[in-house]
């Protein structure tokens, strides 16, 4: 009679917090789909010159003005649905006759470049100021807290509109045209200067709570330096609010930059920009709604996907939170 073989117990393998977070995130279908959508937008932005070359169109070429039969006497596309065809996939821009697809691709590139750079600066500044104020406390916390309160007192949208032309005038005289590179740099600086305070205040509160915990006190007893306590004990416990706030901040800055270009204090002609397309489409929608349809749809998809991604990242880091 054969002796039954004894089954070997399975070896338990520990998982790091990052691995557990990744497993929880992969189970969230909406988060995974949103991540793919966000990645798609960034790939489109980075590959804009390649897409333009393969597609065979330029974002600045005025096809409707250079070729007869594309625009009517009123400047609107002759073909139905805004000139959508096998040659112009998203149609033509009224009056100027530029290709809408390449305008949109390069517009996404411009807006995402500005918003991503401003987001990185805001996150770095918010982490630096918030952690410093919360950990040091005392007079440092008081002074930094009052400085944050002072900046938060400025109405955000009105401040963006008011300060952007002022920054332009610091570098270029009013009678001269502001270069596009300076406009991009100015938008990044203004969005950064007025966008980091919320994250700093949030992290300050988190650090004030964490610095009284046992593991921080134990690190102080062992003689750990403040830098080691901040980097090894505090920052690993702050990744959740940092990542969640970052995923919420970037689409907000994208829409803010688009709004500034919409009202004429951001990116101007002939540089393609998401907001400038909305500004142009506002004058065309009564006779040709197709031109503003594609930029508007792309903006909605991008903002919704990024917000859903932020919710999924939050839930993956902290499974106790419920939607």
């Amino acid at each position: 009679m054969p002796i039954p073989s004894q089954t070997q117990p399975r070896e338990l393998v520990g998982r790091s917090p990052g691995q557990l977070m990744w497993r929880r995130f992969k189970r969230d279908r909406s988060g995974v789909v949103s991540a793919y959508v966000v990645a798609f937008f960034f790939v489109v932005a980075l590959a804009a010159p390649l897409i333009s070359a393969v597609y065979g169109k330029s974002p600045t070429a005025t096809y409707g003005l250079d070729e007869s039969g594309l625009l009517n006497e009123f400047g609107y596309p002759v073909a139905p649905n805004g000139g959508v065809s096998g040659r112009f996939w998203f149609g033509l821009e009224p009056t100027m006759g530029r290709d809408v697809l390449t305008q949109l691709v390069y517009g996404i590139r411009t807006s995402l470049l500005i918003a991503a750079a401003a987001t990185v600066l805001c996150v770095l500044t918010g982490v630096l100021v918030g952690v410093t104020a919360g950990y040091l406390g005392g007079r440092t916390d008081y002074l930094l807290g009052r400085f944050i309160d002072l900046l938060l007192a400025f109405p955000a949208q009105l401040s963006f509109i008011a300060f952007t032309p002022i920054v332009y005038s610091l570098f270029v005289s009013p009678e001269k045209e502001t270069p596009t590179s300076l406009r991009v740099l100015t938008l990044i600086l203004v969005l950064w200067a007025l966008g980091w305070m919320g994250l700093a205040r949030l992290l300050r509160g988190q650090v004030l709570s964490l610095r009284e915990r046992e593991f921080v006190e134990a690190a102080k007893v062992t003689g750990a330096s403040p830098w080691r306590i901040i980097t090894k004990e505090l920052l690993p416990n702050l990744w959740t609010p940092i990542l969640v706030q970052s995923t919420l901040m970037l689409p907000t800055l994208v829409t803010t930059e688009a709004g500034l270009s919409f009202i004429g204090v951001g990116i101007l002609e002939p540089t393609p920009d998401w907001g400038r397309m909305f500004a142009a489409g506002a004058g065309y929608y009564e006779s040709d709604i197709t031109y503003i349809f594609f930029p508007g749809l792309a903006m909605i998809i991008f903002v919704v996907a990024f917000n859903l991604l932020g919710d999924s990242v939050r839930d993956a880091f902290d499974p106790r939170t419920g939607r």
Side-chain angles (χ1 to χ4, degrees), residues 11 13 18 22 38 57 61 70-71 86 100 128 139 141 151 153 159 177 181 209 254 279 288 292 295:
E11 183 180 358
V13 179
W22 178 242
V38 170
K57 302 291 188 300
L70 294 179
L71 300 179
V100 177
L128 177 62
R139 180 173 296 181
D141 180 29
L151 292 180
S159 300
E177 180 66 27
S181 58
S209 175
V254 167
D288 182 15
I292 201 172

Coordinates of all heavy atoms in Angstrom, one line a residue, residues 11 13 18 22 38 57 61 70-71 86 100 128 139 141 151 153 159 177 181 209 254 279 288 292 295:
E11 N 5.4 28.3 1.6 CA 6.2 29.3 2.3 C 5.5 30.7 2.2 O 5.1 31.1 1.1 CB 7.6 29.4 1.6 CG 8.5 30.4 2.3 CD 9.9 30.4 1.7 OE1 10.1 29.6 0.7 OE2 10.7 31.2 2.1
V13 N 5.4 34.5 1.9 CA 6.2 35.5 1.3 C 5.7 36.9 1.7 O 4.5 37.2 1.4 CB 6.3 35.4 -0.2 CG1 7.2 36.5 -0.8 CG2 6.8 34.0 -0.6
G18 N 4.5 49.0 -0.9 CA 4.4 49.3 -2.3 C 3.8 48.2 -3.2 O 2.9 48.4 -4.0
W22 N 0.2 48.3 -5.2 CA 0.1 48.0 -6.6 C -1.0 46.9 -6.8 O -1.7 47.0 -7.8 CB 1.5 47.5 -7.1 CG 1.5 47.1 -8.5 CD1 1.8 45.9 -9.0 CD2 1.2 48.0 -9.7 NE1 1.7 45.9 -10.4 CE2 1.3 47.2 -10.8 CE3 0.8 49.3 -9.8 CZ2 1.1 47.6 -12.1 CZ3 0.6 49.8 -11.1 CH2 0.8 49.0 -12.2
V38 N -4.7 58.6 -19.2 CA -3.8 59.7 -18.9 C -2.4 59.4 -19.6 O -1.8 60.4 -20.2 CB -3.6 59.7 -17.4 CG1 -2.4 60.6 -17.0 CG2 -4.8 60.2 -16.7
K57 N 0.4 66.8 -41.9 CA -0.2 68.2 -41.7 C 0.7 69.0 -40.7 O 1.3 68.4 -39.8 CB -1.6 68.1 -41.3 CG -2.5 67.3 -42.2 CD -2.7 68.0 -43.6 CE -3.8 67.3 -44.4 NZ -3.5 65.9 -44.7
A61 N 0.0 75.6 -40.8 CA -0.3 75.8 -42.2 C -1.8 76.2 -42.4 O -2.6 75.5 -41.9 CB 0.1 74.6 -43.0
L70 N -11.9 74.9 -50.1 CA -12.0 74.3 -48.7 C -12.8 75.2 -47.8 O -13.5 74.6 -46.9 CB -10.6 74.2 -48.2 CG -9.7 73.1 -48.9 CD1 -8.3 73.1 -48.2 CD2 -10.3 71.8 -48.8
L71 N -12.8 76.5 -48.0 CA -13.6 77.4 -47.2 C -14.6 78.2 -48.1 O -14.2 78.5 -49.3 CB -12.7 78.4 -46.4 CG -11.7 77.8 -45.4 CD1 -10.9 79.0 -44.8 CD2 -12.4 77.0 -44.4
G86 N -11.5 62.4 -45.1 CA -10.3 61.5 -45.1 C -9.0 62.3 -45.1 O -8.0 61.7 -44.6
V100 N -7.4 70.9 -37.7 CA -7.8 70.8 -36.3 C -7.1 69.8 -35.5 O -6.7 70.0 -34.3 CB -9.3 70.6 -36.1 CG1 -9.8 70.5 -34.7 CG2 -10.1 71.8 -36.8
L128 N 8.5 70.9 0.8 CA 9.6 71.5 1.5 C 9.0 72.4 2.6 O 9.4 72.4 3.8 CB 10.5 72.4 0.6 CG 11.6 73.2 1.2 CD1 12.6 72.3 1.9 CD2 12.3 74.0 0.1
R139 N 8.4 79.2 16.2 CA 8.3 80.4 15.4 C 8.4 80.2 13.9 O 7.8 80.9 13.1 CB 9.5 81.3 15.9 CG 9.6 82.6 15.1 CD 10.6 83.6 15.7 NE 10.3 83.9 17.1 CZ 11.1 84.7 17.8 NH1 12.2 85.2 17.3 NH2 10.7 85.0 19.1
D141 N 7.1 77.6 12.3 CA 5.8 77.2 11.9 C 4.9 78.4 11.9 O 4.1 78.5 10.9 CB 5.3 76.1 12.9 CG 3.9 75.7 12.5 OD1 3.5 75.7 11.3 OD2 3.1 75.3 13.5
L151 N -0.8 84.2 1.2 CA -0.9 83.8 -0.2 C -2.3 83.2 -0.5 O -2.9 83.5 -1.6 CB 0.2 82.8 -0.6 CG 1.6 83.4 -0.6 CD1 2.6 82.3 -1.0 CD2 1.7 84.6 -1.6
A153 N -5.0 84.1 0.8 CA -6.0 85.2 0.8 C -6.2 85.8 -0.6 O -7.3 86.4 -0.8 CB -5.5 86.3 1.7
S159 N -6.0 86.5 -9.3 CA -4.6 86.7 -9.2 C -3.8 86.2 -10.4 O -2.9 86.9 -10.8 CB -4.1 86.0 -7.9 OG -4.7 86.4 -6.8
E177 N 6.4 92.7 -28.6 CA 5.7 91.4 -28.6 C 6.5 90.5 -27.6 O 7.7 90.3 -27.7 CB 5.6 90.8 -30.0 CG 4.9 89.5 -30.0 CD 3.4 89.6 -29.6 OE1 2.8 90.7 -29.8 OE2 2.8 88.7 -29.1
S181 N 8.4 81.7 -25.7 CA 9.1 81.0 -24.6 C 9.0 81.8 -23.3 O 8.9 81.1 -22.2 CB 10.6 80.9 -25.0 OG 11.2 82.2 -25.2
S209 N 1.0 65.9 13.3 CA 0.5 64.7 14.0 C 1.5 63.6 14.0 O 1.7 62.9 15.1 CB -0.7 64.2 13.2 OG -1.2 63.0 13.7
V254 N -4.1 72.4 -15.7 CA -4.3 72.4 -17.2 C -5.5 73.3 -17.5 O -5.5 74.1 -18.5 CB -4.6 70.9 -17.6 CG1 -5.2 70.9 -19.0 CG2 -3.3 70.1 -17.6
A279 N -10.9 79.6 -27.1 CA -11.2 81.0 -27.4 C -11.6 81.2 -28.8 O -12.6 82.0 -29.1 CB -10.0 81.9 -27.1
D288 N -20.3 76.7 -36.7 CA -19.5 75.5 -36.8 C -19.1 75.0 -35.4 O -18.1 75.4 -34.9 CB -18.2 75.8 -37.7 CG -17.4 74.5 -37.9 OD1 -17.9 73.4 -37.6 OD2 -16.2 74.7 -38.3
I292 N -14.9 73.3 -31.9 CA -14.8 73.3 -30.4 C -15.1 71.9 -29.8 O -14.8 71.7 -28.7 CB -15.6 74.4 -29.8 CG1 -15.0 74.7 -28.4 CG2 -17.1 74.0 -29.7 CD1 -15.7 76.0 -27.7
P295 N -11.6 69.7 -29.1 CA -10.9 70.1 -27.9 C -11.7 70.0 -26.6 O -11.1 69.6 -25.6 CB -10.6 71.6 -28.2 CG -10.7 71.7 -29.7 CD -11.7 70.7 -30.1

